[in-house]
Amino acid sequence: MKADLIAVFVACVVAAGCGGGGSGSDTPPAPGPVCSTAQLEADMDVVLAQTASEVDFSFSLERQDGRRYNFSRGASTLKTSYESASTSKLVSAVIILRLVEQGYLNLADRPQDHLTAAVWPIVNTDTLFSMTLSDLLSFTSGLTSSPLCLDVGLSNFETCVTNIANANAGNGITPGQEFYYASTHLQVAGLMAIKARGFTTWQDMFAEFKTQTGLFPTATYDLPSASNPRLAGGMHWSGEEYMAFLKALRDGSILNAASMSDLLADHTAAAAMVYSPAV
């Protein structure tokens, strides 16, 4: 659906006469027609209304100057609560990076620096022993096997991290060398953050983040359950709340400059793309 909406936006830009054409040479293209924002928005209304979709949806764009375009179809609004899917990955990563800023964690920390051997049974002869928080946040930690507990609400969050360790122990992968898109990385990073902060649950972490930032007032981490939230895809939020989060992130009010630099840096340039839905 996200890819479809991007395609719709591009189609609308072209329809409004705002698309710049390239000649394929080094000669700069001739200036195109001045884009009418009102016309662009009107064309987007038409295209979005006609877009094939099995569900109602809301779509929102905001410019740097604050002008926002909103479109909702059917019963959906920007206040409707939706399952986050993978958009929770960015929220979870930002919450963890704030702990790095605050001195509770370091990107070079390893799971065993914060988790006991009973919780994280990766021994020092295992290649995975060298994985760091940075590897986990960039999905290059070497964790490629996902246990069922990630999708079972009755599972225990901490026990699930132990299951992740056991499922991947001895796989021979050296952290930092392979990108593998999975939920495992953030689950381990999240437990490191919980322990480093001195909390008991991820809900404690999220509650503190809400209090400190004023963001996501009604959002929850509750999939597959509140006691075993999947940090890589387990939120409910509204479009209005997520837009406020993105705006605060853009404006630099959630992370400092150093953390934003870490967030935006390419940490996978030297890693082999072993698995990615985008590829």
Side-chain angles (χ1 to χ4, degrees), residues 12-49:
C12 289
V13 170
V14 174
C18 306
S23 63
S25 68
D26 294 331
T27 304
V34 175
C35 176
S36 163
T37 302
Q39 183 60 53
L40 174 59
E41 292 179 345
D43 288 342
M44 290 174 70
D45 282 344
V46 173
V47 176
L48 287 168

Side-chain angles (χ1 to χ4, degrees), residues 115-122 147 149 156-168 188 191:
L115 309 179
T116 66
V119 175
W120 187 251
I122 299 295
C149 60
N156 175 273
F157 190 98
E158 189 167 304
T159 301
C160 191
V161 168
T162 302
N163 291 345
I164 291 171
N166 288 328
N168 288 276
V188 176
L191 187 58

Side-chain angles (χ1 to χ4, degrees), residues 126-131 135 140-142 171-178:
D126 195 314
T127 54
L128 297 179
F129 192 77
S130 65
M131 83 171 62
D135 294 326
T140 62
S141 68
N171 66 13
I173 300 173
T174 300
Q177 293 189 353
E178 298 182 0

